[in-house]
Structure formats: C-alpha cells, structure tokens
Amino acid sequence: MRRVLRRSFFDRPTLIVAEELIGKFLVRERDGVRSAHMLTEVEAYDGPKDRASHAFRGRTPRNSVMFGPAGALYVYFTYGMHHMLNVTTGPEDYPAAVLIRGVESIVGPGRLTKALGITRELDRLPATKASGLWFEDRGVVLAPRAIQRTGRIGIAYAGPLWSKRRYRFVRKQE
DNA sequence: TAAGTGATCTCT
DNA sequence: GAGATCACTTAA
C-alpha cells in the first residue's frame, strides 16, 4: 500500500493533519534518486491568532503561501544557515502549516532539510511528485498511544499560552 | 552557553 | 536604509 497524499489530506484542520502525518513518509527525489523517511516529529502552526506563527502579523511576501491552498510547500531560511520545511494546511485564506521537524534517522528541522537538499527552490511548490518532494501513506498504522503531544520548540517569545499548547507531535520511541 | 549567519520585518 | 529578530545547530 503506497498512496501519495493529495491536497484533500492537507485541506483539513491543522492539528488533525499534524497528528496524522506522524507515521507517513516524506519522499524526496532529486537527480533521479529517491529516498523516503517516516515522519517522527511535526508541529502545527494554526491560524492568524497563533502568536508563534509567521502569519500572526498578517500576510507578508514570505508567509503568503500559508494563506494559499493546502498541500503547498513552505520553505524559509532562518538564522543565516537553516532551511525549514513546512506544508500548508486548511482552507484558502486561513494561514496554517505543519513544520516538519524530524524523520526517522534525521532529527531536527535544519538537519533534515540539509540532509535532503531542501532549499527555497521548493518554496510555494505543491507537495507532488512533479516538485520532487511529497508525502506518502505507506500503510504504517501507529496506535494513538504511540504519538506524544508536547509544546512547540523554540517559540518562547510567543508567550506561555502559545508555547504550552500541545501543538507538537512526536512518535514515541518504543 | 554562545557564536554563527543572512533573510525578513518593523520602524525611521 | 538601519536595527532587531529569528519555528536552529554545533562546538565548547
């Protein structure tokens, strides 16, 4: 069983999409070489009121893809050295996305993009085979208990309310 | 614990 | 245009 996740998967509430992405696969193809990794850590960024979200201060050139249709890649560059990979969720005009923080054997959002060669060339592209980066359901079924929810990382500036919200989903290690 | 690094945003 | 900030990583 191997099914590419389509826009309809992502066009749902962000927290649902985030939780269901754990156990799905991130597939990268470049120069004809394909690799697939199971997602193990993601975070939800949900709507215009989320103080930790890039969209909190409204639409800007960088974040406008978050306001667009679901299932688009949002790749931005930060700290002068790291690319961050997100996929947009929810309906058009509602800014939301899921940050991909880790996959099996690669932990850390910056390390992940470096390992898979993910740069802003992919920003705003749909997460499809044509873009070279997409998501697949490969039939892995995780028990709900196998997924842990915690506060998000690195967003203390957003205040305790938003940093405590359990918007981070991590696959528990056995 | 702090440096590194540069795009992005906010304010002049 | 200037200055601050940043959804991080690594080396110490």
Side-chain angles (χ1 to χ4, degrees):
Chain A
M1 194 264 215
R2 183 169 295 191
R3 185 171 58 88
V4 175
L5 298 183
R6 303 172 54 80
R7 175 176 295 177
S8 57
F9 176 89
F10 298 100
D11 194 3
R12 296 182 297 154
T14 313
L15 289 163
I16 301 284
V17 174
E19 179 160 21
E20 290 193 12
L21 275 175
I22 302 296
K24 302 295 189 295
F25 283 76
L26 178 66
V27 188
R28 175 72 165 130
E29 184 172 283
R30 37 177 187 154
D31 306 322
V33 180
R34 189 176 293 192
S35 64
H37 295 87
M38 193 174 77
L39 296 168
T40 55
E41 181 184 357
V42 302
E43 283 178 359
Y45 287 84
D46 188 20
K49 294 180 180 168
D50 183 349
R51 296 187 73 93
S53 171
H54 286 172
F56 176 64
R57 292 176 197 285
R59 189 190 294 247
T60 69
R62 180 178 66 166
N63 70 22
S64 63
V65 66
M66 293 181 73
F67 291 77
L73 302 171
Y74 171 36
V75 181
Y76 67 90
F77 186 69
T78 191
Y79 292 111
M81 47 185 107
H82 302 297
H83 292 276
M84 298 288 121
L85 169 65
N86 305 252
V87 58
T88 63
T89 59
E92 212 158 339
D93 293 324
Y94 183 83
V98 175
L99 169 67
I100 310 303
R101 293 190 56 92
V103 297
E104 204 160 51
S105 78
I106 311 173
V107 174
R111 300 175 67 186
L112 162 69
T113 52
K114 184 179 179 189
L116 298 184
I118 294 166
T119 68
R120 280 176 300 170
E121 288 179 9
L122 295 166
D123 187 35
R124 298 168 180 278
L125 296 179
T128 60
K129 286 188 176 179
S131 302
L133 187 66
W134 66 94
F135 297 87
E136 286 184 7
D137 183 347
R138 294 193 168 184
V140 173
V141 179
L142 298 176
R145 305 178 68 94
I147 300 174
Q148 186 171 14
R149 287 184 68 163
T150 78
R152 290 173 291 183
I153 306 295
I155 55 145
Y157 65 85
L161 176 68
W162 291 98
S163 51
K164 280 182 186 166
R165 286 203 178 185
R166 301 195 305 157
Y167 280 14
R168 174 170 172 259
F169 298 84
V170 193
R171 184 191 179 201
K172 277 189 196 164
Q173 299 304 326
E174 1 245 292

